[in-house]
């Protein structure tokens, strides 16, 4: 197997570093070793253990470079290169996550950087190194700047390349955040080294006595300031975490009211941020605005009535005008929060159209905030590919075709194409997120309570309501041409509808249907206690409705003495739907079923009324001792 790019790069650096160290060892004569050389080497090794992390940056500063550069000025690049190589080896051996290639790099890279920078310094300063006979202020300044610059370029550049190859990111992205801090630290170290070495003539003890206490004091003060900054940042992160948790709870409340899953807001947020980054958004405030706006874009729906928000089928013009208010209401709500980044414009304008035909302000083209344009595309795609009370979900391919059809009409064409390009990767991320959530649920949830809607074999049960109600439904429905009916009953926990009776013409799969309260057509009728006429049967049966040939549906709640006990849904195999007479027949039938279920029993001297719920199959049924008057 061939070497990957990281391995090849590290081997190249190690080979060059080996050559440099060979030259360095050869240049050092044992007889030329002095107490100052050994002392500076020891100070280098010791001080490198006291580096300080720059707050909010993945960078550190240290005084060890002062002693490295002092070695260069006084004794040339060879002892300095050997010292930093030993320091790199010690660092690698003390790391928790030790890896061989990292150890090679930590030894070779500092030796290369120090040797090269020292060689340039000697070439400019002459030999003996910047002695009083050769030194001049311009030459001194040029040599110091060159020493710092060459060391900075090689040290930071080689390190950034290694990190970028290991993390598979851009070299510039790795190098740029730390460059200024590292450069200032290196130049300061080179300047101090020149002061304490007396321009290369030897250690200037007077300067050392003055500078060393200042360096120690600066280290202690900076370390204390860094510790306090870290504490403040930790508190800020905690407050930000609480803030995000509160915002997310608001978003969950919106999704609950809108009867979609929490996965919807997470997908929209994740996809919107991914598209923004793919389109080149790097500003942190802009990314946070897009993240917050995508999470809270529908918060205005809290003020929209449920019967409008979750109505199955098409909205009336008046109802659509109510829905449109959610963007201005959302912007008004969030305007009171005083976000530190522009969330409100994204929320207000995510329903504007590229051609200016959107709402609320009719903005057009690039006048629409960039984050709102991204959110519009992502939100549309996720809505199309998710189940909603008013329609079943569409496939990704159909949703993509619809996005393309509305490109440059409703949506920014550049964003549409970039989003479509990212869809496969986004779907893989969705599956990974769902698997992670499922694994967490499995750990947290433990043993699950058996589902009361299901029989022991795990299949949905078809209930029975007795021969009278079955005969009543079959007889009445026969008066509506090509009609079939389902009588749905509430399950034991009251959160789902199951089929208690279905007319013979319905497919067996329709007989085993289970519908959550509030979702689909019949579930919406149960949740809102209101009748819907001439709606889409696919809201209950999905593709099965087309396979059976169902064209329209009227659904109405079934009450027994004011208590909701089920839903009667009637389906016809024609597109022109139900007439007023048909709807009256369905509603009348539901009332008769409710009266039959109520079961009126005559006791001695009084009438006792006892409501009885519809039962799924497998539940015991009792025959009343006295037939009700409704019979």
């Amino acid at each position: 197997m061939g070497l990957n790019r990281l391995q090849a790069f590290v081997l190249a650096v190690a080979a060059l570093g080996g050559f440099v160290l060979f030259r360095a060892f050869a240049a050092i004569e044992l007889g030329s070793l002095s107490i100052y050389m050994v002392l500076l080497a020891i100070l280098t090794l010791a001080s490198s253990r006291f580096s300080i992390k720059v707050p909010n940056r993945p960078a550190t500063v240290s005084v060890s470079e002062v002693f490295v550069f002092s070695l260069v000025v006084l004794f040339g690049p060879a002892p300095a290169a050997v010292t930093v190589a030993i320091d790199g080896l010690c660092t690698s051996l003390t790391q928790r996550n030790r890896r061989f290639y990292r150890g090679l790099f930590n030894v070779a890279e500092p030796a290369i950087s120090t040797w090269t920078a020292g060689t340039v310094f000697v070439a400019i300063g002459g030999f003996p190194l910047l002695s009083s006979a050769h030194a001049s202020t311009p030459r001194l300044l040029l040599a110091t700047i060159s020493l710092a610059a060459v060391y900075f370029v090689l040290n930071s550049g080689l390190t950034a390349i290694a990190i970028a190859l290991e993390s598979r990111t851009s070299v510039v992205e790795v190098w740029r955040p730390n460059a200024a801090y590292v450069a200032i630290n290196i130049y300061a170290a080179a300047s101090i080294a020149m002061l304490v070495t007396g321009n290369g003539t030897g250690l200037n003890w007077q300067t050392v006595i003055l500078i060393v206490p200042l360096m120690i004091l600066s280290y202690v003060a900076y370390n204390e300031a860094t510790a306090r900054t870290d504490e403040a940042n930790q508190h800020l992160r905690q407050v930000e975490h609480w803030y995000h948790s509160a915002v997310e709870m608001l978003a969950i409340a919106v999704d609950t009211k809108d009867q979609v899953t929490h996965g919807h807001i997470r997908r929209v947020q994740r996809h919107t941020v991914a598209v923004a980054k793919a389109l080149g958004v790097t500003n942190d405030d802009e990314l946070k605005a897009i993240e917050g706006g995508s999470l809270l874009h529908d918060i205005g729906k809290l003020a929209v009535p449920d019967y409008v928000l979750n109505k199955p089928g098409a909205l009336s013009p008046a109802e659509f005008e109510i829905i449109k208010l959610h963007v201005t209401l959302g912007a008004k709500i969030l305007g009171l929060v005083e976000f530190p980044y522009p969330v409100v414009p994204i929320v207000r304008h995510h329903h504007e159209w590229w051609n200016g035909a959107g709402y609320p302000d009719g903005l057009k083209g690039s006048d629409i905030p960039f984050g709102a344009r991204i959110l519009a595309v992502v939100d549309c795609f996720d809505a199309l590919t998710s189940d909603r009370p008013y329609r079943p979900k569409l496939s990704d391919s159909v949703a993509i075709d619809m996005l393309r059809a509305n490109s440059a009409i409703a949506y920014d064409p550049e964003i549409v194409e970039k989003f479509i390009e990212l869809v496969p990767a986004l779907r893989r991320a969705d599956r990974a997120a769902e698997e992670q959530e499922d694994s967490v649920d499995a750990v947290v949830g433990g043993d699950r309570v058996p589902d009361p809607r299901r029989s022991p074999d795990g299949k949905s049960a078809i209930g029975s309501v007795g021969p009278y109600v079955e005969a009543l439904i079959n007889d009445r429905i026969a008066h509506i041409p090509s009609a079939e009916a389902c009588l749905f009953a509430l399950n034991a926990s009251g959160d789902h509808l199951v089929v208690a009776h279905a007319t013979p013409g319905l497919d067996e799969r329709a007989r085993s249907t289970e519908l959550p309260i509030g979702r689909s057509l019949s579930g919406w009728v149960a949740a809102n206690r209101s009748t819907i006429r001439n709606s889409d049967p696919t809201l209950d049966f999905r593709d099965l409705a087309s396979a059976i040939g169902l064209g329209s549906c009227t659904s109405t709640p079934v009450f027994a003495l004011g208590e909701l006990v089920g839903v009667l849904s009637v389906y016809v195999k024609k597109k022109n739907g139900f007439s007023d007479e048909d709807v009256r027949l369905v509603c009348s039938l539901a009332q008769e079923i409710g009266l039959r279920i109520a079961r009126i029993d005559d006791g001695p001297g009084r009438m006792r009324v006892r409501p009885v719920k519809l039962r799924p199959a497998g539940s015991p049924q009792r025959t009343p001792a006295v037939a009700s008057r409704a019979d």
Side-chain angles (χ1 to χ4, degrees), residues 67 196 207-218:
F67 306 111
V196 301
T207 306
V208 170
I209 292 172
L210 292 173
I211 289 180
V212 169
L214 292 176
M215 292 174 62
I216 296 174
L217 181 61
S218 299

Side-chain angles (χ1 to χ4, degrees), residues 49-69:
R49 301 295 173 267
F50 296 96
S51 59
I52 304 174
K53 186 181 182 302
V54 178
N56 300 324
R57 297 286 181 180
T60 58
V61 295
S62 173
V63 298
S64 63
E65 281 86 359
V66 172
F67 306 111
V68 173
F69 294 150

Side-chain angles (χ1 to χ4, degrees), residues 431-444 448:
R431 288 191 291 270
E434 290 170 2
E435 290 173 1
Q436 184 176 5
E437 289 175 1
D438 290 343
S439 64
V440 171
D441 290 342
V443 172
V444 175
R448 297 187 182 277

Side-chain angles (χ1 to χ4, degrees), residues 274-285:
V275 174
K277 290 181 178 178
L279 289 168
V281 177
T282 57
N283 182 272
D284 191 53
D285 284 347

Side-chain angles (χ1 to χ4, degrees), residues 365-400:
S366 59
D367 291 338
I368 306 170
F370 189 59
R373 282 181 268 156
I374 298 174
L375 177 58
V377 174
V378 173
D379 189 40
C380 174
F381 180 83
D382 195 80
L384 292 173
T385 55
S386 301
D387 286 318
R388 292 298 175 94
Y390 46 86
R391 56 145 181 81
K393 67 180 180 181
L394 305 176
S395 67
D396 285 2
S397 59
V398 173
I400 287 172

Side-chain angles (χ1 to χ4, degrees), residues 32-336:
S32 64
L33 292 178
S34 70
I35 185 65
Y36 295 130
M37 183 186 298
V38 176
L39 177 62
L40 289 172
I42 292 174
L43 289 173
T44 300
L45 298 176
S47 62
S48 66
R49 301 295 173 267
F50 296 96
S51 59
I52 304 174
K53 186 181 182 302
V54 178
N56 300 324
R57 297 286 181 180
T60 58
V61 295
S62 173
V63 298
S64 63
E65 281 86 359
V66 172
F67 306 111
V68 173
F69 294 150
S70 296
L71 278 169
V72 170
V73 173
L74 290 176
F75 306 105
V82 172
T83 300
V84 294
I86 295 173
D87 181 57
L89 178 62
C90 294
T91 301
S92 299
L93 292 176
T94 56
Q95 287 179 338
R96 292 182 179 180
N97 187 18
R98 291 192 295 269
R99 293 185 180 179
F100 180 69
Y101 72 88
R102 289 182 180 175
L104 283 178
F105 185 84
N106 288 340
V107 171
E109 179 276 316
I112 296 171
S113 302
T114 304
W115 175 271
T116 307
T119 302
V120 172
F121 179 80
V122 170
I124 295 175
F127 190 85
L129 302 178
L130 292 176
S131 64
S132 56
H134 295 82
S136 64
T137 300
R139 193 174 183 183
L140 175 64
L141 181 61
L142 178 60
T144 304
I145 292 175
S146 300
L147 173 66
V150 173
Y151 182 84
F152 164 71
V153 170
L154 290 175
N155 176 261
S156 63
L158 293 175
T159 303
I161 293 172
I163 294 174
L165 290 175
E166 186 178 39
S167 59
R168 298 181 180 179
T169 55
S170 167
V171 175
V172 176
E173 290 179 1
V174 174
W175 178 84
R176 184 168 52 190
N178 310 324
Y181 298 95
V182 174
I184 293 172
N185 183 62
I186 290 174
Y187 181 73
S191 300
I192 294 173
M194 293 301 302
L195 292 174
V196 301
T197 57
N199 295 352
T201 59
L203 287 177
N204 187 331
W205 290 107
Q206 294 85 353
T207 306
V208 170
I209 292 172
L210 292 173
I211 289 180
V212 169
L214 292 176
M215 292 174 62
I216 296 174
L217 181 61
S218 299
Y219 172 82
V220 173
Y222 189 82
N223 196 34
E224 180 66 21
T226 301
R228 292 190 179 186
T229 302
D230 287 340
E231 289 179 4
N233 289 337
Q234 184 176 2
H235 177 70
L236 183 62
R237 285 191 295 269
Q238 188 176 25
V239 171
E240 189 174 2
H241 172 71
W242 292 338
Y243 157 75
H244 281 298
S245 298
V247 168
E248 186 166 330
M249 290 304 296
L250 285 173
I252 293 173
V254 175
D255 274 1
T256 301
K257 181 180 177 69
D258 200 11
Q259 297 184 8
V260 296
T261 64
H262 181 48
H264 165 71
I265 61 170
R266 277 299 182 206
R267 285 192 305 273
V268 169
Q269 184 185 51
R270 190 166 55 244
H271 294 182
T272 304
V273 172
V275 174
K277 290 181 178 178
L279 289 168
V281 177
T282 57
N283 182 272
D284 191 53
D285 284 347
E286 188 172 2
L287 286 173
K288 286 184 177 180
I290 291 172
E291 186 178 13
S294 59
L295 192 67
L296 294 171
H297 65 281
D298 280 339
I299 194 171
K301 288 183 178 179
L302 291 172
V304 177
D306 288 347
Y307 78 90
V308 175
L309 191 61
N310 297 308
K311 176 183 177 181
L315 296 174
S316 68
E319 290 168 339
F320 184 62
E321 290 300 319
I322 294 175
I323 284 286
K324 287 165 62 176
L325 292 175
H326 81 275
V327 292
T328 52
L329 291 172
K332 186 175 181 179
I333 293 170
L334 297 178
L336 302 174

